[in-house]
Amino acid sequence: MPPTDRTLRHDWTISEIEAIYTAPLNDLLLRAQTLHREWHPPNQVQGCVLLNIKSGGCPEDCAYCPQSAHYKTDVARGELLNVKDALDSAAQARAQGATRFCMGAAWRDVPGGATFEQVLEMVRGVRAMGLEACCTLGMLNDEQAEALADA
């Protein structure tokens, strides 16, 4: 297997990739654990909470996903959650010990305008509480990605 390298690489050779792909599972686990311990406390996990801020009705035809509008599932279609409710959920997550708050929305493409501004307000509010924020929102354009990173 290739040596553990702490720098981000984009120049992997086929033989290096094959060495990882064909490595025994326990060797991969050991390598992952060793690398993890270099950067994180060894016996801690991060507490995260995921909130569905917009459910159902996604136009994508992903057969595995209950959010898809193409399949009959028990997921009720709902509009984007208001900012206060999202931030109340984040505050509750923090009170329960979470350090990361993730927000997911069933979109293929993130709508622009007021809808996206509402998501940005949620992210800013989560960050203001001292929580890490992450989102799964569908595809973003460059401008939206930059605005989300800035938030």
Side-chain angles (χ1 to χ4, degrees), residues 16-56:
E16 288 174 320
I17 294 168
E18 285 175 345
I20 295 169
Y21 184 78
T22 59
L25 177 61
N26 286 332
D27 290 353
L28 292 171
L29 290 172
L30 176 62
R31 184 173 175 201
Q33 184 60 225
T34 301
L35 186 60
H36 182 269
R37 285 171 179 254
E38 288 183 28
W39 299 99
H40 303 283
N43 295 308
Q44 288 183 357
V45 294
Q46 183 178 40
C48 304
V49 170
L50 171 63
L51 177 67
N52 191 353
I53 60 172
K54 190 259 177 218
S55 61

Side-chain angles (χ1 to χ4, degrees), residues 57-63 65 67-73:
C58 180
E60 287 294 291
D61 188 4
C62 302
C65 183
Q67 300 282 351
S68 174
H70 294 268
Y71 302 96
K72 183 178 165 123
T73 68

Side-chain angles (χ1 to χ4, degrees), residues 47-50 87-101 131:
C48 304
V49 170
L50 171 63
L87 296 182
D88 286 349
S89 293
Q92 183 179 1
R94 186 185 64 187
Q96 294 171 341
T99 58
R100 178 185 294 253
F101 190 74
L131 292 166

Side-chain angles (χ1 to χ4, degrees), residues 116 120 139-151:
F116 186 60
L120 294 175
M139 292 189 282
L140 303 168
N141 62 38
D142 289 342
E143 191 175 292
Q144 288 170 322
E146 288 176 19
L148 195 57
D150 289 342

Side-chain angles (χ1 to χ4, degrees), residues 2-18:
T4 301
D5 189 354
R6 288 168 206 51
T7 59
L8 183 62
R9 291 181 54 196
H10 299 284
D11 61 348
W12 293 88
T13 65
I14 297 296
S15 63
E16 288 174 320
I17 294 168
E18 285 175 345

